[in-house]
């Protein structure tokens, strides 16, 4: 028996048999025919993600060595069960976004950081270029014609989560206020991720979780800081951008662009 910390959102997922979809050095993804969302097993030192099941590094290493694509596991209220053993949900974390009002001075501080940053991104342009001109047409379309803006970005770039998808996730994170725009954006994005034709399975998973209001712990910590929470901006930002090759940076660019739209 292996003990794990699980996202409370796992309780929303279909019970029954799940199949190993993909195995990576840092994660094992499981899929179910009734769900667009994935279960993700990862070692504890990884970040808290929607639908995550976090294990001690040694336990994860053993599972990774023995699990293969196509293998099945049964998801129940208490854990994940296979013929070889079980992963029991011992403790929980929460990936749910809690609506908050960001403070203007903190939004401006993040925007100014974005204007100065020259990190590489998945768009093959430096970070500051994305928020000071390189994506002006796409960002304008997102604001005025969400369907056209989503179509211009979804699936754009390389990797398990293309840069355009990460940007959309960050943009949505800071623009969730209910209203006509949010409804139109949700409908446009849901249409794209309901089909396998536009982006990757892993990316569709994270975008589906985002539309349901679930985000990684590092993103939630940054939005909490924007609303007046504890910590330092640089600490919160580096926690976001340290994820993946460029995924964290592309997501942060979407957040900065969204905040710039709000503040004018």
């Amino acid at each position: 028996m292996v003990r794990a910390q699980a996202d409370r959102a796992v309780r929303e997922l279909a019970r029954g048999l799940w199949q190993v979809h993909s195995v990576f050095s840092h994660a094992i993804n499981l899929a179910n025919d009734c769900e667009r969302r994935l279960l993700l097993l990862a070692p504890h030192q990884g970040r808290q993600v929607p639908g995550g099941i976090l294990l001690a590094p040694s336990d994860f290493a053993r599972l990774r060595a023995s699990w293969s694509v196509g293998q099945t596991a049964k998801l129940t209220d208490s854990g994940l069960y296979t013929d070889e053993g079980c992963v029991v949900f011992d403790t929980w974390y929460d990936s749910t976004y809690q609506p908050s009002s960001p403070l203007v001075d903190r939004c401006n501080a993040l925007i100014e950081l974005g204007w100065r940053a020259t990190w590489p991104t998945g768009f093959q342009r430096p970070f500051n270029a994305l928020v000071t001109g390189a994506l002006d047409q796409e960002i304008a379309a997102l604001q005025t014609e969400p369907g056209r803006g989503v179509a211009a970005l979804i699936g754009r770039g390389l990797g398990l989560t293309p840069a355009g998808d990460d940007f959309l996730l960050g943009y949505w994170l800071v623009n969730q206020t209910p209203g006509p725009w949010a409804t139109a954006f949700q409908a446009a994005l849901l249409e794209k991720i309901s089909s396998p034709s536009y982006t990757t399975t892993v990316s569709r998973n994270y975008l589906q979780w985002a539309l349901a209001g679930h985000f990684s712990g590092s993103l939630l910590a940054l939005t909490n800081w924007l609303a007046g929470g504890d910590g330092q901006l640089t600490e919160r930002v580096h926690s976001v951008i340290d994820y993946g090759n460029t995924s964290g940076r592309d997501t942060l660019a979407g957040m900065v662009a969204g905040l710039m739209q709000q503040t004018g």
Side-chain angles (χ1 to χ4, degrees):
M1 180 180 69
V2 173
R3 297 189 180 277
Q5 182 185 41
D7 180 12
R8 293 185 188 279
V10 169
R11 296 169 173 172
E12 302 174 12
L13 298 175
R15 299 298 182 259
L17 287 181
W18 286 66
Q19 190 173 64
V20 175
H21 168 273
S22 47
V23 179
F24 302 100
S25 61
H26 60 284
I28 301 170
N29 292 306
L30 290 90
N32 178 288
D33 290 339
C34 298
E35 291 280 356
R36 293 195 190 102
R37 296 171 290 183
L38 301 175
L39 276 173
L40 183 145
L41 278 72
H44 265 303
Q45 69 260 35
R47 67 176 182 170
Q48 293 179 339
V49 296
I53 300 171
L54 305 182
L55 315 173
S58 58
D59 290 331
F60 175 79
R62 284 194 294 271
L63 283 182
R64 182 178 173 276
S66 61
W67 284 21
S68 57
V69 173
Q71 182 171 341
T72 58
K74 184 177 182 180
L75 178 65
T76 72
D77 290 340
S78 60
L80 199 58
Y81 294 82
T82 70
D83 292 338
E84 292 80 24
C86 60
V87 175
V88 174
F89 304 149
D90 190 35
T91 58
W92 302 88
Y93 65 90
D94 196 345
S95 66
T96 307
Y97 171 73
Q98 301 297 334
S100 57
S101 299
L103 303 177
V104 173
D105 62 328
R106 294 201 170 190
C107 290
N108 288 337
L110 179 56
I111 291 169
E112 289 171 8
L113 184 152
W115 288 343
R116 297 191 307 269
T118 57
W119 310 305
T121 69
F123 291 94
Q124 298 183 316
R125 300 291 298 274
F127 187 95
N128 54 0
L130 302 184
V131 296
T132 58
L135 293 179
D136 277 0
Q137 291 184 347
E138 293 87 344
I139 293 169
L142 279 176
Q143 193 63 28
T144 59
E145 300 178 66
R148 188 162 64 88
V150 167
L153 288 165
I154 192 77
R156 183 169 165 183
L158 303 175
L160 285 174
T161 57
D165 298 22
D166 293 326
F167 187 94
L168 288 169
L169 190 150
Y171 195 89
W172 170 243
L173 173 57
V174 296
N175 281 289
Q176 296 184 69
T177 304
W181 181 89
T183 299
F185 179 91
Q186 285 178 297
L189 187 55
L190 184 60
E191 177 188 357
K192 295 301 184 186
I193 63 175
S194 295
S195 166
S197 302
Y198 297 100
T199 191
T200 67
T201 300
V202 172
S203 194
R204 289 167 63 207
N205 162 67
Y206 282 120
L207 291 170
Q208 185 71 48
W209 278 117
L211 289 179
H214 297 280
F215 299 86
S216 71
S218 59
L219 291 173
L220 295 178
L222 180 53
T223 58
N224 180 65
W225 182 88
L226 289 170
D230 295 337
Q232 299 295 318
L233 174 59
T234 52
E235 173 191 359
R236 298 303 184 207
V237 164
H238 280 285
S239 180
V240 170
I241 67 174
D242 284 346
Y243 182 75
N245 189 13
T246 62
S247 286
R249 299 167 190 172
D250 299 328
T251 303
L252 184 67
M255 293 181 67
V256 171
L259 292 173
M260 287 173 64
Q261 290 281 331
Q262 291 180 27
T263 59

PDB file of all heavy atoms in Angstrom, residues 214-234:
ATOM      1  N   HIS A 214     -10.160  25.092 -11.561  1.00  0.00           N
ATOM      2  CA  HIS A 214      -9.054  24.451 -10.841  1.00  0.00           C
ATOM      3  C   HIS A 214      -7.725  24.793 -11.508  1.00  0.00           C
ATOM      4  O   HIS A 214      -7.581  24.679 -12.733  1.00  0.00           O
ATOM      5  CB  HIS A 214      -9.247  22.936 -10.794  1.00  0.00           C
ATOM      6  CG  HIS A 214     -10.469  22.514 -10.044  1.00  0.00           C
ATOM      7  ND1 HIS A 214     -10.500  22.452  -8.669  1.00  0.00           N
ATOM      8  CD2 HIS A 214     -11.711  22.158 -10.472  1.00  0.00           C
ATOM      9  CE1 HIS A 214     -11.711  22.062  -8.282  1.00  0.00           C
ATOM     10  NE2 HIS A 214     -12.459  21.877  -9.354  1.00  0.00           N
ATOM     11  N   PHE A 215      -6.740  25.171 -10.666  1.00  0.00           N
ATOM     12  CA  PHE A 215      -5.431  25.603 -11.153  1.00  0.00           C
ATOM     13  C   PHE A 215      -4.336  25.062 -10.241  1.00  0.00           C
ATOM     14  O   PHE A 215      -4.608  24.618  -9.119  1.00  0.00           O
ATOM     15  CB  PHE A 215      -5.363  27.133 -11.199  1.00  0.00           C
ATOM     16  CG  PHE A 215      -6.370  27.770 -12.110  1.00  0.00           C
ATOM     17  CD1 PHE A 215      -7.653  28.064 -11.656  1.00  0.00           C
ATOM     18  CD2 PHE A 215      -6.056  28.050 -13.432  1.00  0.00           C
ATOM     19  CE1 PHE A 215      -8.600  28.639 -12.498  1.00  0.00           C
ATOM     20  CE2 PHE A 215      -6.992  28.619 -14.282  1.00  0.00           C
ATOM     21  CZ  PHE A 215      -8.266  28.914 -13.812  1.00  0.00           C
ATOM     22  N   SER A 216      -3.106  25.151 -10.707  1.00  0.00           N
ATOM     23  CA  SER A 216      -1.977  24.666  -9.916  1.00  0.00           C
ATOM     24  C   SER A 216      -1.772  25.533  -8.682  1.00  0.00           C
ATOM     25  O   SER A 216      -2.163  26.710  -8.639  1.00  0.00           O
ATOM     26  CB  SER A 216      -0.700  24.664 -10.757  1.00  0.00           C
ATOM     27  OG  SER A 216      -0.264  25.994 -10.984  1.00  0.00           O
ATOM     28  N   GLY A 217      -1.106  24.951  -7.688  1.00  0.00           N
ATOM     29  CA  GLY A 217      -0.849  25.668  -6.442  1.00  0.00           C
ATOM     30  C   GLY A 217      -0.029  26.918  -6.631  1.00  0.00           C
ATOM     31  O   GLY A 217      -0.261  27.937  -5.961  1.00  0.00           O
ATOM     32  N   SER A 218       0.933  26.898  -7.550  1.00  0.00           N
ATOM     33  CA  SER A 218       1.776  28.083  -7.766  1.00  0.00           C
ATOM     34  C   SER A 218       0.975  29.229  -8.379  1.00  0.00           C
ATOM     35  O   SER A 218       1.183  30.401  -8.033  1.00  0.00           O
ATOM     36  CB  SER A 218       2.975  27.728  -8.651  1.00  0.00           C
ATOM     37  OG  SER A 218       2.552  27.222  -9.894  1.00  0.00           O
ATOM     38  N   LEU A 219       0.054  28.925  -9.276  1.00  0.00           N
ATOM     39  CA  LEU A 219      -0.795  29.964  -9.854  1.00  0.00           C
ATOM     40  C   LEU A 219      -1.762  30.524  -8.810  1.00  0.00           C
ATOM     41  O   LEU A 219      -1.988  31.740  -8.751  1.00  0.00           O
ATOM     42  CB  LEU A 219      -1.569  29.414 -11.049  1.00  0.00           C
ATOM     43  CG  LEU A 219      -0.746  29.087 -12.296  1.00  0.00           C
ATOM     44  CD1 LEU A 219      -1.610  28.398 -13.340  1.00  0.00           C
ATOM     45  CD2 LEU A 219      -0.119  30.347 -12.875  1.00  0.00           C
ATOM     46  N   LEU A 220      -2.310  29.663  -7.987  1.00  0.00           N
ATOM     47  CA  LEU A 220      -3.216  30.128  -6.933  1.00  0.00           C
ATOM     48  C   LEU A 220      -2.481  31.013  -5.934  1.00  0.00           C
ATOM     49  O   LEU A 220      -3.030  32.011  -5.442  1.00  0.00           O
ATOM     50  CB  LEU A 220      -3.854  28.933  -6.219  1.00  0.00           C
ATOM     51  CG  LEU A 220      -4.789  28.066  -7.065  1.00  0.00           C
ATOM     52  CD1 LEU A 220      -5.309  26.891  -6.240  1.00  0.00           C
ATOM     53  CD2 LEU A 220      -5.956  28.885  -7.610  1.00  0.00           C
ATOM     54  N   ALA A 221      -1.220  30.662  -5.637  1.00  0.00           N
ATOM     55  CA  ALA A 221      -0.432  31.480  -4.709  1.00  0.00           C
ATOM     56  C   ALA A 221      -0.180  32.869  -5.284  1.00  0.00           C
ATOM     57  O   ALA A 221      -0.198  33.871  -4.557  1.00  0.00           O
ATOM     58  CB  ALA A 221       0.885  30.786  -4.386  1.00  0.00           C
ATOM     59  N   LEU A 222       0.045  32.947  -6.598  1.00  0.00           N
ATOM     60  CA  LEU A 222       0.279  34.251  -7.217  1.00  0.00           C
ATOM     61  C   LEU A 222      -1.001  35.088  -7.225  1.00  0.00           C
ATOM     62  O   LEU A 222      -0.960  36.292  -6.948  1.00  0.00           O
ATOM     63  CB  LEU A 222       0.806  34.068  -8.639  1.00  0.00           C
ATOM     64  CG  LEU A 222       1.094  35.351  -9.423  1.00  0.00           C
ATOM     65  CD1 LEU A 222       2.022  36.296  -8.652  1.00  0.00           C
ATOM     66  CD2 LEU A 222       1.685  35.021 -10.796  1.00  0.00           C
ATOM     67  N   THR A 223      -2.144  34.482  -7.532  1.00  0.00           N
ATOM     68  CA  THR A 223      -3.387  35.252  -7.509  1.00  0.00           C
ATOM     69  C   THR A 223      -3.723  35.693  -6.088  1.00  0.00           C
ATOM     70  O   THR A 223      -4.263  36.787  -5.889  1.00  0.00           O
ATOM     71  CB  THR A 223      -4.566  34.451  -8.094  1.00  0.00           C
ATOM     72  OG1 THR A 223      -4.740  33.225  -7.367  1.00  0.00           O
ATOM     73  CG2 THR A 223      -4.333  34.137  -9.562  1.00  0.00           C
ATOM     74  N   ASN A 224      -3.384  34.868  -5.115  1.00  0.00           N
ATOM     75  CA  ASN A 224      -3.585  35.265  -3.720  1.00  0.00           C
ATOM     76  C   ASN A 224      -2.698  36.462  -3.365  1.00  0.00           C
ATOM     77  O   ASN A 224      -3.138  37.401  -2.677  1.00  0.00           O
ATOM     78  CB  ASN A 224      -3.284  34.087  -2.791  1.00  0.00           C
ATOM     79  CG  ASN A 224      -3.471  34.439  -1.334  1.00  0.00           C
ATOM     80  OD1 ASN A 224      -4.583  34.723  -0.879  1.00  0.00           O
ATOM     81  ND2 ASN A 224      -2.385  34.419  -0.568  1.00  0.00           N
ATOM     82  N   TRP A 225      -1.444  36.460  -3.858  1.00  0.00           N
ATOM     83  CA  TRP A 225      -0.552  37.602  -3.619  1.00  0.00           C
ATOM     84  C   TRP A 225      -1.120  38.860  -4.261  1.00  0.00           C
ATOM     85  O   TRP A 225      -1.107  39.940  -3.665  1.00  0.00           O
ATOM     86  CB  TRP A 225       0.831  37.306  -4.177  1.00  0.00           C
ATOM     87  CG  TRP A 225       1.798  38.422  -3.914  1.00  0.00           C
ATOM     88  CD1 TRP A 225       2.590  38.610  -2.819  1.00  0.00           C
ATOM     89  CD2 TRP A 225       2.037  39.558  -4.774  1.00  0.00           C
ATOM     90  NE1 TRP A 225       3.299  39.777  -2.928  1.00  0.00           N
ATOM     91  CE2 TRP A 225       2.981  40.384  -4.114  1.00  0.00           C
ATOM     92  CE3 TRP A 225       1.546  39.944  -6.011  1.00  0.00           C
ATOM     93  CZ2 TRP A 225       3.435  41.579  -4.664  1.00  0.00           C
ATOM     94  CZ3 TRP A 225       1.987  41.135  -6.569  1.00  0.00           C
ATOM     95  CH2 TRP A 225       2.924  41.939  -5.911  1.00  0.00           C
ATOM     96  N   LEU A 226      -1.644  38.748  -5.468  1.00  0.00           N
ATOM     97  CA  LEU A 226      -2.224  39.908  -6.152  1.00  0.00           C
ATOM     98  C   LEU A 226      -3.367  40.516  -5.355  1.00  0.00           C
ATOM     99  O   LEU A 226      -3.601  41.731  -5.415  1.00  0.00           O
ATOM    100  CB  LEU A 226      -2.723  39.511  -7.544  1.00  0.00           C
ATOM    101  CG  LEU A 226      -1.658  39.195  -8.593  1.00  0.00           C
ATOM    102  CD1 LEU A 226      -2.303  38.594  -9.836  1.00  0.00           C
ATOM    103  CD2 LEU A 226      -0.857  40.439  -8.961  1.00  0.00           C
ATOM    104  N   ALA A 227      -4.070  39.679  -4.599  1.00  0.00           N
ATOM    105  CA  ALA A 227      -5.202  40.153  -3.802  1.00  0.00           C
ATOM    106  C   ALA A 227      -4.778  40.620  -2.413  1.00  0.00           C
ATOM    107  O   ALA A 227      -5.643  40.908  -1.574  1.00  0.00           O
ATOM    108  CB  ALA A 227      -6.254  39.059  -3.687  1.00  0.00           C
ATOM    109  N   GLY A 228      -3.473  40.673  -2.149  1.00  0.00           N
ATOM    110  CA  GLY A 228      -2.988  41.176  -0.863  1.00  0.00           C
ATOM    111  C   GLY A 228      -2.424  40.121   0.052  1.00  0.00           C
ATOM    112  O   GLY A 228      -2.129  40.405   1.221  1.00  0.00           O
ATOM    113  N   GLY A 229      -2.237  38.900  -0.464  1.00  0.00           N
ATOM    114  CA  GLY A 229      -1.715  37.817   0.361  1.00  0.00           C
ATOM    115  C   GLY A 229      -0.241  37.967   0.682  1.00  0.00           C
ATOM    116  O   GLY A 229       0.445  38.860   0.176  1.00  0.00           O
ATOM    117  N   ASP A 230       0.235  37.060   1.528  1.00  0.00           N
ATOM    118  CA  ASP A 230       1.626  37.113   1.994  1.00  0.00           C
ATOM    119  C   ASP A 230       2.596  36.707   0.888  1.00  0.00           C
ATOM    120  O   ASP A 230       2.218  36.124  -0.131  1.00  0.00           O
ATOM    121  CB  ASP A 230       1.808  36.176   3.189  1.00  0.00           C
ATOM    122  CG  ASP A 230       1.003  36.636   4.405  1.00  0.00           C
ATOM    123  OD1 ASP A 230       0.694  37.847   4.464  1.00  0.00           O
ATOM    124  OD2 ASP A 230       0.688  35.795   5.259  1.00  0.00           O
ATOM    125  N   GLY A 231       3.884  36.959   1.170  1.00  0.00           N
ATOM    126  CA  GLY A 231       4.947  36.539   0.261  1.00  0.00           C
ATOM    127  C   GLY A 231       5.502  37.689  -0.552  1.00  0.00           C
ATOM    128  O   GLY A 231       5.036  38.834  -0.457  1.00  0.00           O
ATOM    129  N   GLN A 232       6.511  37.364  -1.346  1.00  0.00           N
ATOM    130  CA  GLN A 232       7.153  38.338  -2.212  1.00  0.00           C
ATOM    131  C   GLN A 232       6.804  38.048  -3.673  1.00  0.00           C
ATOM    132  O   GLN A 232       6.670  36.885  -4.067  1.00  0.00           O
ATOM    133  CB  GLN A 232       8.669  38.282  -2.023  1.00  0.00           C
ATOM    134  CG  GLN A 232       9.134  38.601  -0.615  1.00  0.00           C
ATOM    135  CD  GLN A 232       8.817  40.038  -0.229  1.00  0.00           C
ATOM    136  OE1 GLN A 232       8.981  40.949  -1.031  1.00  0.00           O
ATOM    137  NE2 GLN A 232       8.364  40.236   1.009  1.00  0.00           N
ATOM    138  N   LEU A 233       6.680  39.085  -4.466  1.00  0.00           N
ATOM    139  CA  LEU A 233       6.321  38.911  -5.875  1.00  0.00           C
ATOM    140  C   LEU A 233       7.323  38.016  -6.595  1.00  0.00           C
ATOM    141  O   LEU A 233       6.932  37.094  -7.321  1.00  0.00           O
ATOM    142  CB  LEU A 233       6.239  40.270  -6.568  1.00  0.00           C
ATOM    143  CG  LEU A 233       6.011  40.226  -8.085  1.00  0.00           C
ATOM    144  CD1 LEU A 233       4.729  39.493  -8.415  1.00  0.00           C
ATOM    145  CD2 LEU A 233       5.995  41.644  -8.650  1.00  0.00           C
ATOM    146  N   THR A 234       8.615  38.263  -6.414  1.00  0.00           N
ATOM    147  CA  THR A 234       9.616  37.474  -7.135  1.00  0.00           C
ATOM    148  C   THR A 234       9.527  35.998  -6.761  1.00  0.00           C
ATOM    149  O   THR A 234       9.678  35.119  -7.623  1.00  0.00           O
ATOM    150  CB  THR A 234      11.027  37.995  -6.848  1.00  0.00           C
ATOM    151  OG1 THR A 234      11.232  38.080  -5.424  1.00  0.00           O
ATOM    152  CG2 THR A 234      11.231  39.373  -7.462  1.00  0.00           C
TER     153      THR A 234
END
